[in-house]
Amino acid sequence: MKLSRKNGLRASAIGALVVSGALVLSACGSDNNSEPTKGGGEKTSAAASNIKCDGAKGQLLAAGSSAQKNAMDLWVKNFQAACDGVEVNYQAIGSGGGITKFNQGQVAFAGSDSALKDEEVAESKKICKGGTGVNLPMVGGPIAIGYKLEGVDNLVLDAPTLAKIFDNKITKWNDPAIAKLNPGAKLPDSTIQAFHRSDESGTTQNLGKYLSTAAPADWKHDPKTKSWPAQGGQAANGSSGVATAVKDAEGSIGYFELSYATANKISTVSINTGASAPVAATTENASKAIAAAKVKGTGSDVALSLDYATKAEGAYPLVLVTYEIACDKGNKAETLPTLKAFLNYAISEEGQKVLTDADYAPMPAEIAAKVRAIVPTLS
Protein backbone atom coordinates (compact mmCIF):
# COMPACT_ATOMS: atom_id res chain seq x y z
CA MET A 1 0.00 0.00 0.00
CA LYS A 2 1.25 3.45 -0.79
CA LEU A 3 1.41 5.48 2.37
CA SER A 4 0.75 8.70 0.53
CA ARG A 5 -2.58 7.33 -0.61
CA LYS A 6 -3.54 5.97 2.75
CA ASN A 7 -3.01 9.10 4.79
CA GLY A 8 -6.04 10.77 3.33
CA LEU A 9 -8.14 7.64 3.46
CA ARG A 10 -7.15 6.34 6.88
CA ALA A 11 -9.15 8.91 8.82
CA SER A 12 -12.32 8.15 6.91
CA ALA A 13 -11.78 4.41 7.11
CA ILE A 14 -11.07 4.40 10.84
CA GLY A 15 -13.93 6.80 11.39
CA ALA A 16 -16.20 4.40 9.58
CA LEU A 17 -15.00 1.57 11.77
CA VAL A 18 -15.70 3.54 14.94
CA VAL A 19 -19.16 4.50 13.78
CA SER A 20 -19.87 0.92 12.74
CA GLY A 21 -18.29 -0.63 15.82
CA ALA A 22 -21.54 -2.24 16.90
CA LEU A 23 -21.99 -5.50 15.07
CA VAL A 24 -25.59 -4.76 14.26
CA LEU A 25 -25.63 -1.72 12.02
CA SER A 26 -28.81 0.16 11.29
CA ALA A 27 -29.93 0.49 7.70
CA CYS A 28 -28.34 3.78 6.74
CA GLY A 29 -31.41 5.56 5.41
CA SER A 30 -30.27 8.85 6.95
CA ASP A 31 -27.34 9.31 4.56
CA ASN A 32 -27.49 12.95 3.57
CA ASN A 33 -26.12 12.15 0.11
CA SER A 34 -28.80 9.59 -0.66
CA GLU A 35 -31.49 10.09 -3.22
CA PRO A 36 -34.88 8.40 -3.17
CA THR A 37 -34.84 4.70 -3.88
CA LYS A 38 -35.61 3.66 -7.43
CA GLY A 39 -37.33 0.46 -8.46
CA GLY A 40 -35.57 -2.75 -7.41
CA GLY A 41 -34.28 -1.31 -4.15
CA GLU A 42 -31.23 0.44 -5.66
CA LYS A 43 -30.25 4.03 -4.99
CA THR A 44 -28.60 6.29 -7.49
CA SER A 45 -26.43 8.24 -5.04
CA ALA A 46 -22.72 8.72 -4.51
CA ALA A 47 -23.04 6.64 -1.35
CA ALA A 48 -24.71 3.78 -3.19
CA SER A 49 -22.23 3.94 -6.05
CA ASN A 50 -22.44 0.75 -8.12
CA ILE A 51 -23.76 -1.59 -5.41
CA LYS A 52 -26.56 -3.77 -6.77
CA CYS A 53 -29.19 -4.74 -4.22
CA ASP A 54 -30.94 -7.27 -6.50
CA GLY A 55 -33.96 -7.83 -4.26
CA ALA A 56 -32.02 -7.78 -0.97
CA LYS A 57 -34.30 -7.27 2.03
CA GLY A 58 -34.64 -8.01 5.72
CA GLN A 59 -31.93 -9.28 8.03
CA LEU A 60 -28.90 -11.34 7.07
CA LEU A 61 -27.13 -13.14 9.91
CA ALA A 62 -23.49 -14.15 9.71
CA ALA A 63 -20.69 -14.96 12.16
CA GLY A 64 -17.07 -16.02 12.35
CA SER A 65 -13.59 -14.65 11.84
CA SER A 66 -12.63 -11.62 13.91
CA ALA A 67 -9.70 -11.16 11.51
CA GLN A 68 -12.04 -9.70 8.90
CA LYS A 69 -14.22 -7.69 11.28
CA ASN A 70 -12.85 -4.30 10.23
CA ALA A 71 -13.33 -5.19 6.57
CA MET A 72 -16.81 -6.53 7.25
CA ASP A 73 -17.76 -3.33 9.07
CA LEU A 74 -16.89 -1.29 5.98
CA TRP A 75 -18.74 -3.64 3.65
CA VAL A 76 -21.83 -3.67 5.86
CA LYS A 77 -21.85 0.12 6.18
CA ASN A 78 -21.64 0.62 2.42
CA PHE A 79 -24.11 -2.13 1.56
CA GLN A 80 -26.73 -0.92 4.03
CA ALA A 81 -26.33 2.64 2.78
CA ALA A 82 -27.17 1.42 -0.72
CA CYS A 83 -30.00 -0.98 0.07
CA ASP A 84 -33.07 0.20 1.99
CA GLY A 85 -34.56 -2.12 4.57
CA VAL A 86 -31.49 -4.38 4.80
CA GLU A 87 -29.65 -5.23 8.00
CA VAL A 88 -26.48 -7.33 7.95
CA ASN A 89 -25.52 -8.63 11.38
CA TYR A 90 -21.99 -10.08 11.47
CA GLN A 91 -20.81 -11.46 14.81
CA ALA A 92 -17.02 -11.63 15.09
CA ILE A 93 -16.85 -14.68 17.35
CA GLY A 94 -13.90 -16.46 15.74
CA SER A 95 -13.66 -18.86 12.81
CA GLY A 96 -14.50 -21.96 14.84
CA GLY A 97 -17.64 -20.41 16.28
CA GLY A 98 -18.73 -19.17 12.88
CA ILE A 99 -18.43 -22.60 11.28
CA THR A 100 -20.37 -24.14 14.18
CA LYS A 101 -23.20 -21.65 13.75
CA PHE A 102 -23.22 -22.19 9.99
CA ASN A 103 -23.42 -25.95 10.29
CA GLN A 104 -26.22 -25.58 12.83
CA GLY A 105 -28.19 -23.46 10.37
CA GLN A 106 -28.07 -20.35 12.58
CA VAL A 107 -26.38 -18.04 10.03
CA ALA A 108 -26.54 -17.56 6.27
CA PHE A 109 -22.76 -17.56 5.93
CA ALA A 110 -19.68 -17.89 8.09
CA GLY A 111 -16.31 -16.17 7.94
CA SER A 112 -13.31 -18.44 8.46
CA ASP A 113 -9.57 -17.89 8.18
CA SER A 114 -9.13 -21.50 7.15
CA ALA A 115 -10.99 -23.68 4.69
CA LEU A 116 -13.57 -26.19 5.87
CA LYS A 117 -12.18 -29.51 7.07
CA ASP A 118 -13.53 -32.71 5.49
CA GLU A 119 -15.70 -33.45 8.52
CA GLU A 120 -17.08 -29.89 8.46
CA VAL A 121 -17.92 -30.25 4.77
CA ALA A 122 -19.76 -33.49 5.54
CA GLU A 123 -21.68 -31.80 8.35
CA SER A 124 -22.64 -28.87 6.11
CA LYS A 125 -24.59 -31.19 3.83
CA LYS A 126 -27.23 -31.52 6.55
CA ILE A 127 -27.90 -27.78 6.29
CA CYS A 128 -27.21 -27.26 2.58
CA LYS A 129 -30.03 -29.44 1.26
CA GLY A 130 -28.83 -30.97 -1.99
CA GLY A 131 -25.55 -29.08 -1.75
CA THR A 132 -22.54 -28.44 0.45
CA GLY A 133 -20.63 -25.66 2.15
CA VAL A 134 -18.05 -24.00 -0.11
CA ASN A 135 -15.06 -21.75 0.62
CA LEU A 136 -15.12 -18.35 -1.11
CA PRO A 137 -11.94 -16.32 -0.41
CA MET A 138 -12.70 -12.61 -0.13
CA VAL A 139 -10.28 -11.01 2.35
CA GLY A 140 -6.50 -11.30 2.54
CA GLY A 141 -3.79 -9.69 4.54
CA PRO A 142 -0.78 -10.02 6.82
CA ILE A 143 -0.90 -11.39 10.33
CA ALA A 144 1.16 -8.77 12.09
CA ILE A 145 3.40 -9.64 15.00
CA GLY A 146 2.82 -6.65 17.25
CA TYR A 147 5.04 -5.71 20.17
CA LYS A 148 5.60 -3.01 22.78
CA LEU A 149 9.24 -2.50 23.72
CA GLU A 150 10.47 0.92 24.71
CA GLY A 151 13.42 2.14 22.66
CA VAL A 152 13.09 -0.57 19.99
CA ASP A 153 11.34 0.73 16.90
CA ASN A 154 12.40 -1.70 14.17
CA LEU A 155 12.38 -5.21 15.56
CA VAL A 156 13.37 -8.08 13.24
CA LEU A 157 12.58 -11.71 14.02
CA ASP A 158 12.60 -14.94 12.03
CA ALA A 159 10.41 -18.04 12.15
CA PRO A 160 12.60 -20.10 14.51
CA THR A 161 12.85 -17.23 16.98
CA LEU A 162 9.12 -16.54 16.83
CA ALA A 163 8.43 -20.22 17.39
CA LYS A 164 10.62 -20.27 20.49
CA ILE A 165 9.06 -17.07 21.85
CA PHE A 166 5.49 -18.34 21.48
CA ASP A 167 6.51 -21.78 22.77
CA ASN A 168 8.01 -20.22 25.91
CA LYS A 169 11.54 -21.32 24.97
CA ILE A 170 12.83 -17.75 24.62
CA THR A 171 11.67 -15.69 27.59
CA LYS A 172 13.98 -12.63 27.69
CA TRP A 173 14.12 -9.76 25.23
CA ASN A 174 17.92 -9.72 25.21
CA ASP A 175 18.15 -13.41 24.30
CA PRO A 176 21.13 -14.04 21.97
CA ALA A 177 18.82 -15.19 19.14
CA ILE A 178 16.93 -11.87 19.20
CA ALA A 179 20.13 -9.85 19.62
CA LYS A 180 21.70 -11.53 16.58
CA LEU A 181 18.79 -10.44 14.41
CA ASN A 182 18.88 -6.89 15.79
CA PRO A 183 22.50 -5.71 15.96
CA GLY A 184 22.79 -2.35 17.68
CA ALA A 185 19.33 -2.47 19.23
CA LYS A 186 19.08 -1.75 22.97
CA LEU A 187 17.27 -4.91 24.04
CA PRO A 188 16.29 -4.92 27.74
CA ASP A 189 16.93 -7.77 30.16
CA SER A 190 13.21 -8.10 30.77
CA THR A 191 10.66 -10.89 30.49
CA ILE A 192 8.73 -11.32 27.26
CA GLN A 193 4.97 -11.25 27.74
CA ALA A 194 3.59 -13.34 24.88
CA PHE A 195 -0.15 -13.09 24.19
CA HIS A 196 -2.25 -15.54 22.20
CA ARG A 197 -5.92 -16.08 21.38
CA SER A 198 -8.15 -17.72 23.97
CA ASP A 199 -10.87 -18.58 21.43
CA GLU A 200 -10.74 -20.96 18.49
CA SER A 201 -9.19 -18.92 15.74
CA GLY A 202 -8.20 -19.22 12.11
CA THR A 203 -5.57 -16.58 12.84
CA THR A 204 -4.01 -18.95 15.38
CA GLN A 205 -4.21 -21.76 12.84
CA ASN A 206 -2.46 -19.71 10.15
CA LEU A 207 0.27 -18.71 12.59
CA GLY A 208 0.72 -22.39 13.43
CA LYS A 209 0.90 -23.34 9.75
CA TYR A 210 3.53 -20.66 9.17
CA LEU A 211 5.67 -21.71 12.15
CA SER A 212 5.42 -25.43 11.41
CA THR A 213 6.34 -24.82 7.76
CA ALA A 214 9.08 -22.22 8.18
CA ALA A 215 10.47 -23.52 11.51
CA PRO A 216 9.56 -27.22 11.73
CA ALA A 217 12.39 -28.01 14.15
CA ASP A 218 11.12 -25.44 16.64
CA TRP A 219 7.33 -25.68 16.34
CA LYS A 220 6.17 -29.24 16.95
CA HIS A 221 2.50 -28.49 17.52
CA ASP A 222 -0.42 -29.53 15.32
CA PRO A 223 -0.64 -26.89 12.57
CA LYS A 224 -4.29 -27.68 11.90
CA THR A 225 -5.63 -26.73 15.32
CA LYS A 226 -7.56 -23.49 15.79
CA SER A 227 -6.96 -23.61 19.54
CA TRP A 228 -3.72 -22.32 21.04
CA PRO A 229 -1.51 -25.44 21.37
CA ALA A 230 1.53 -24.28 23.36
CA GLN A 231 2.15 -23.95 27.09
CA GLY A 232 2.71 -20.62 28.81
CA GLY A 233 1.89 -17.16 27.60
CA GLN A 234 -1.24 -15.17 28.31
CA ALA A 235 -4.60 -15.44 26.57
CA ALA A 236 -7.01 -12.79 25.30
CA ASN A 237 -10.26 -13.07 23.38
CA GLY A 238 -10.32 -12.19 19.70
CA SER A 239 -7.85 -10.20 17.65
CA SER A 240 -9.06 -7.03 19.35
CA GLY A 241 -8.38 -8.52 22.77
CA VAL A 242 -4.83 -9.54 21.90
CA ALA A 243 -4.14 -6.15 20.32
CA THR A 244 -5.42 -4.33 23.42
CA ALA A 245 -3.29 -6.52 25.68
CA VAL A 246 -0.15 -5.82 23.67
CA LYS A 247 -0.89 -2.10 23.53
CA ASP A 248 -1.23 -1.93 27.32
CA ALA A 249 1.68 -4.14 28.43
CA GLU A 250 5.35 -3.15 28.19
CA GLY A 251 7.52 -6.01 26.94
CA SER A 252 4.61 -7.71 25.21
CA ILE A 253 4.23 -9.47 21.87
CA GLY A 254 1.22 -10.94 20.12
CA TYR A 255 -0.35 -11.66 16.73
CA PHE A 256 -3.34 -10.07 14.98
CA GLU A 257 -4.32 -8.62 11.63
CA LEU A 258 -2.53 -5.47 10.49
CA SER A 259 -5.66 -3.32 10.82
CA TYR A 260 -5.63 -3.88 14.59
CA ALA A 261 -1.98 -2.83 14.80
CA THR A 262 -2.69 0.30 12.78
CA ALA A 263 -5.79 1.28 14.77
CA ASN A 264 -3.94 0.82 18.07
CA LYS A 265 -0.63 2.35 16.87
CA ILE A 266 1.25 -0.85 17.71
CA SER A 267 4.75 -1.46 16.33
CA THR A 268 5.07 -4.54 14.13
CA VAL A 269 7.89 -7.01 13.50
CA SER A 270 9.67 -7.36 10.16
CA ILE A 271 10.38 -10.99 9.31
CA ASN A 272 13.73 -12.31 8.16
CA THR A 273 12.62 -14.85 5.54
CA GLY A 274 16.02 -15.48 4.02
CA ALA A 275 15.43 -12.87 1.33
CA SER A 276 17.93 -10.04 0.87
CA ALA A 277 16.12 -7.86 3.43
CA PRO A 278 13.61 -8.37 6.25
CA VAL A 279 10.02 -8.04 5.10
CA ALA A 280 7.58 -5.70 6.82
CA ALA A 281 3.93 -6.51 7.47
CA THR A 282 2.19 -4.48 4.76
CA THR A 283 -0.74 -5.22 2.49
CA GLU A 284 1.48 -4.93 -0.57
CA ASN A 285 3.95 -7.47 0.82
CA ALA A 286 1.13 -9.80 1.85
CA SER A 287 -0.38 -9.56 -1.63
CA LYS A 288 2.89 -10.80 -3.11
CA ALA A 289 2.63 -13.95 -1.00
CA ILE A 290 -1.11 -14.48 -1.60
CA ALA A 291 -0.70 -14.06 -5.36
CA ALA A 292 1.42 -17.23 -5.36
CA ALA A 293 -1.38 -19.26 -3.74
CA LYS A 294 -2.76 -22.24 -5.63
CA VAL A 295 -6.45 -23.21 -5.79
CA LYS A 296 -6.89 -26.65 -4.23
CA GLY A 297 -10.70 -26.61 -4.16
CA THR A 298 -12.82 -28.03 -6.98
CA GLY A 299 -16.11 -26.99 -8.54
CA SER A 300 -17.62 -24.08 -6.61
CA ASP A 301 -15.05 -24.41 -3.84
CA VAL A 302 -12.09 -22.01 -4.03
CA ALA A 303 -9.99 -23.19 -1.08
CA LEU A 304 -6.38 -22.03 -1.43
CA SER A 305 -2.96 -23.45 -0.64
CA LEU A 306 -0.55 -20.78 0.67
CA ASP A 307 3.26 -20.93 0.63
CA TYR A 308 4.21 -20.00 4.19
CA ALA A 309 7.90 -20.72 3.57
CA THR A 310 8.32 -18.28 0.68
CA LYS A 311 11.64 -16.48 0.40
CA ALA A 312 10.56 -14.32 -2.52
CA GLU A 313 11.81 -10.76 -2.34
CA GLY A 314 9.32 -8.53 -0.58
CA ALA A 315 6.82 -11.33 0.11
CA TYR A 316 5.50 -11.31 3.69
CA PRO A 317 4.98 -15.00 4.51
CA LEU A 318 2.71 -14.79 7.56
CA VAL A 319 -0.59 -14.21 5.80
CA LEU A 320 -4.14 -15.36 6.03
CA VAL A 321 -7.08 -15.52 3.67
CA THR A 322 -10.58 -15.26 5.08
CA TYR A 323 -13.27 -17.29 3.37
CA GLU A 324 -16.98 -16.56 3.36
CA ILE A 325 -18.55 -19.99 3.68
CA ALA A 326 -21.99 -20.50 2.18
CA CYS A 327 -24.05 -23.31 0.67
CA ASP A 328 -23.58 -23.80 -3.06
CA LYS A 329 -27.13 -25.19 -3.08
CA GLY A 330 -29.83 -25.35 -0.43
CA ASN A 331 -29.60 -21.80 0.94
CA LYS A 332 -32.74 -20.50 2.67
CA ALA A 333 -35.05 -18.88 0.13
CA GLU A 334 -35.85 -15.90 2.37
CA THR A 335 -32.19 -14.85 2.74
CA LEU A 336 -30.74 -16.01 -0.58
CA PRO A 337 -31.21 -12.70 -2.49
CA THR A 338 -29.55 -10.70 0.31
CA LEU A 339 -26.76 -13.25 0.68
CA LYS A 340 -25.92 -13.13 -3.02
CA ALA A 341 -26.19 -9.35 -3.27
CA PHE A 342 -23.92 -8.81 -0.26
CA LEU A 343 -21.29 -11.33 -1.36
CA ASN A 344 -21.46 -9.97 -4.92
CA TYR A 345 -20.60 -6.53 -3.54
CA ALA A 346 -17.85 -7.86 -1.25
CA ILE A 347 -15.97 -9.57 -4.09
CA SER A 348 -16.68 -6.83 -6.65
CA GLU A 349 -13.92 -4.47 -7.73
CA GLU A 350 -15.51 -1.77 -5.60
CA GLY A 351 -15.79 -4.02 -2.55
CA GLN A 352 -12.22 -5.19 -2.89
CA LYS A 353 -10.86 -1.66 -3.29
CA VAL A 354 -12.10 -0.58 0.15
CA LEU A 355 -10.03 -3.35 1.77
CA THR A 356 -6.79 -1.45 1.29
CA ASP A 357 -8.22 1.48 3.25
CA ALA A 358 -8.41 -0.79 6.31
CA ASP A 359 -5.03 -2.56 5.88
CA TYR A 360 -6.34 -5.67 4.16
CA ALA A 361 -5.17 -7.14 0.86
CA PRO A 362 -7.65 -7.58 -2.01
CA MET A 363 -7.85 -10.98 -3.64
CA PRO A 364 -5.50 -11.42 -6.61
CA ALA A 365 -7.31 -10.85 -9.91
CA GLU A 366 -7.42 -14.51 -10.98
CA ILE A 367 -8.85 -15.68 -7.65
CA ALA A 368 -11.35 -12.82 -7.48
CA ALA A 369 -12.58 -13.67 -10.97
CA LYS A 370 -13.30 -17.26 -9.92
CA VAL A 371 -15.31 -16.14 -6.90
CA ARG A 372 -17.21 -13.52 -8.92
CA ALA A 373 -18.35 -16.25 -11.28
CA ILE A 374 -19.50 -18.53 -8.45
CA VAL A 375 -21.49 -16.17 -6.20
CA PRO A 376 -24.32 -15.58 -8.72
CA THR A 377 -24.79 -19.37 -9.02
CA LEU A 378 -25.54 -19.88 -5.33
CA SER A 379 -29.02 -21.30 -4.98
Side-chain angles (χ1 to χ4, degrees), residues 354-378:
V354 304
L355 293 179
T356 59
D357 300 343
D359 288 321
Y360 293 96
M363 287 295 98
E366 184 178 351
I367 295 172
K370 289 181 181 293
V371 179
R372 287 173 190 148
I374 291 169
V375 172
T377 70
L378 301 180

Side-chain angles (χ1 to χ4, degrees), residues 272-298:
N272 183 338
T273 63
S276 62
V279 185
T282 69
T283 56
E284 285 183 344
N285 293 343
S287 292
K288 292 177 183 178
I290 295 172
K294 297 181 180 179
V295 177
K296 63 179 180 179
T298 58

Side-chain angles (χ1 to χ4, degrees), residues 1-10 282-284 359:
M1 184 185 301
K2 296 181 180 178
L3 295 177
S4 59
R5 177 176 179 268
K6 280 179 60 179
N7 289 340
L9 296 171
R10 178 66 50 75
T282 69
T283 56
E284 285 183 344
D359 288 321

Side-chain angles (χ1 to χ4, degrees), residues 19 26 45 61 83 97 125-126 131-133 158 172 189 192 210-211 215 292 297 349 360:
V19 172
S26 61
S45 66
L61 300 179
C83 304
K125 294 179 180 180
K126 300 175 184 178
T132 186
D158 59 13
K172 293 287 187 178
D189 182 22
I192 298 172
Y210 163 69
L211 294 175
E349 288 188 14
Y360 293 96

